[in-house]
Short mmCIF file of all heavy atoms in Angstrom, two decimals:
data_model
loop_
_atom_site.label_atom_id
_atom_site.label_comp_id
_atom_site.label_asym_id
_atom_site.label_seq_id
_atom_site.Cartn_x
_atom_site.Cartn_y
_atom_site.Cartn_z
N THR A 7 -10.85 -28.94 21.43
CA THR A 7 -10.36 -27.60 21.11
C THR A 7 -11.09 -26.61 22.01
O THR A 7 -12.17 -26.89 22.52
CB THR A 7 -10.63 -27.22 19.64
OG1 THR A 7 -12.02 -27.26 19.40
CG2 THR A 7 -9.90 -28.17 18.70
N ARG A 39 -8.28 -4.54 2.01
CA ARG A 39 -8.30 -6.00 2.01
C ARG A 39 -7.23 -6.58 2.93
O ARG A 39 -7.46 -7.57 3.62
CB ARG A 39 -8.18 -6.50 0.58
CG ARG A 39 -9.48 -6.16 -0.17
CD ARG A 39 -9.43 -6.34 -1.65
NE ARG A 39 -8.99 -7.65 -2.03
CZ ARG A 39 -8.26 -7.90 -3.11
NH1 ARG A 39 -7.91 -6.91 -3.91
NH2 ARG A 39 -7.91 -9.12 -3.41
N LEU A 47 -1.34 -3.27 10.37
CA LEU A 47 -0.79 -3.02 9.04
C LEU A 47 -0.02 -1.71 9.08
O LEU A 47 -0.54 -0.69 9.52
CB LEU A 47 -1.91 -2.93 7.99
CG LEU A 47 -1.48 -2.61 6.56
CD1 LEU A 47 -0.60 -3.73 6.00
CD2 LEU A 47 -2.70 -2.39 5.69
N VAL A 48 1.23 -1.78 8.64
CA VAL A 48 2.04 -0.59 8.51
C VAL A 48 2.15 -0.28 7.03
O VAL A 48 2.63 -1.11 6.25
CB VAL A 48 3.46 -0.78 9.12
CG1 VAL A 48 4.31 0.46 8.90
CG2 VAL A 48 3.36 -1.14 10.60
N PRO A 59 9.04 12.10 -7.69
CA PRO A 59 7.65 12.15 -7.26
C PRO A 59 6.98 13.51 -7.49
O PRO A 59 7.63 14.55 -7.43
CB PRO A 59 7.73 11.82 -5.77
CG PRO A 59 9.13 12.08 -5.37
CD PRO A 59 9.97 11.92 -6.60
N GLU A 64 6.23 14.07 2.76
CA GLU A 64 5.31 14.41 3.85
C GLU A 64 3.86 14.47 3.36
O GLU A 64 2.94 14.05 4.07
CB GLU A 64 5.69 15.77 4.48
CG GLU A 64 7.06 15.79 5.10
CD GLU A 64 8.20 15.93 4.06
OE1 GLU A 64 7.96 16.42 2.93
OE2 GLU A 64 9.33 15.52 4.38
N ARG A 66 2.63 12.87 0.68
CA ARG A 66 2.20 11.50 0.35
C ARG A 66 1.78 10.75 1.62
O ARG A 66 0.76 10.07 1.62
CB ARG A 66 3.31 10.74 -0.38
CG ARG A 66 3.49 11.24 -1.81
CD ARG A 66 4.50 10.44 -2.58
NE ARG A 66 5.84 10.87 -2.23
CZ ARG A 66 6.87 10.06 -1.97
NH1 ARG A 66 6.72 8.76 -2.01
NH2 ARG A 66 8.05 10.54 -1.66
N ILE A 76 -9.73 6.03 7.72
CA ILE A 76 -11.10 5.59 7.41
C ILE A 76 -11.18 4.07 7.45
O ILE A 76 -12.10 3.49 8.03
CB ILE A 76 -11.54 6.12 6.02
CG1 ILE A 76 -11.60 7.65 6.03
CG2 ILE A 76 -12.87 5.51 5.60
CD1 ILE A 76 -11.68 8.28 4.65
N ILE A 77 -10.20 3.42 6.84
CA ILE A 77 -10.18 1.95 6.80
C ILE A 77 -9.98 1.37 8.20
O ILE A 77 -10.63 0.39 8.56
CB ILE A 77 -9.09 1.46 5.82
CG1 ILE A 77 -9.43 1.90 4.40
CG2 ILE A 77 -8.92 -0.06 5.91
CD1 ILE A 77 -8.29 1.75 3.41
N ILE A 85 -3.71 0.56 11.86
CA ILE A 85 -3.00 0.92 10.63
C ILE A 85 -2.13 2.13 10.92
O ILE A 85 -2.62 3.16 11.39
CB ILE A 85 -3.97 1.23 9.46
CG1 ILE A 85 -4.90 0.04 9.19
CG2 ILE A 85 -3.17 1.59 8.21
CD1 ILE A 85 -5.92 0.28 8.10
N VAL A 95 13.06 -5.53 3.51
CA VAL A 95 13.09 -6.51 4.60
C VAL A 95 13.63 -5.87 5.88
O VAL A 95 13.20 -6.23 6.98
CB VAL A 95 13.87 -7.80 4.24
CG1 VAL A 95 13.15 -8.58 3.16
CG2 VAL A 95 15.28 -7.50 3.85
N VAL A 107 2.90 -7.23 2.18
CA VAL A 107 1.72 -7.26 1.30
C VAL A 107 2.08 -6.55 0.01
O VAL A 107 2.62 -5.44 0.02
CB VAL A 107 0.51 -6.57 1.95
CG1 VAL A 107 -0.67 -6.50 0.99
CG2 VAL A 107 0.13 -7.25 3.26
N GLU A 132 12.27 -15.52 7.03
CA GLU A 132 11.21 -15.51 8.04
C GLU A 132 10.05 -14.60 7.67
O GLU A 132 8.99 -14.67 8.29
CB GLU A 132 11.78 -15.08 9.40
CG GLU A 132 12.83 -16.03 9.94
CD GLU A 132 12.28 -17.44 10.16
OE1 GLU A 132 11.20 -17.57 10.75
OE2 GLU A 132 12.94 -18.39 9.70
N ARG A 179 -1.60 21.77 -12.03
CA ARG A 179 -1.98 23.06 -12.59
C ARG A 179 -1.10 24.20 -12.09
O ARG A 179 -1.16 25.29 -12.63
CB ARG A 179 -3.44 23.37 -12.25
CG ARG A 179 -4.41 22.46 -12.95
CD ARG A 179 -5.83 22.74 -12.50
NE ARG A 179 -6.74 21.83 -13.17
CZ ARG A 179 -7.91 21.48 -12.68
NH1 ARG A 179 -8.32 21.98 -11.53
NH2 ARG A 179 -8.69 20.64 -13.33
#
Side-chain angles (χ1 to χ4, degrees):
T7 61
R39 290 168 54 214
L47 178 64
V48 177
E64 299 78 23
R66 287 184 280 135
I76 296 165
I77 295 167
I85 303 178
V95 293
V107 176
E132 297 300 313
R179 292 176 182 155

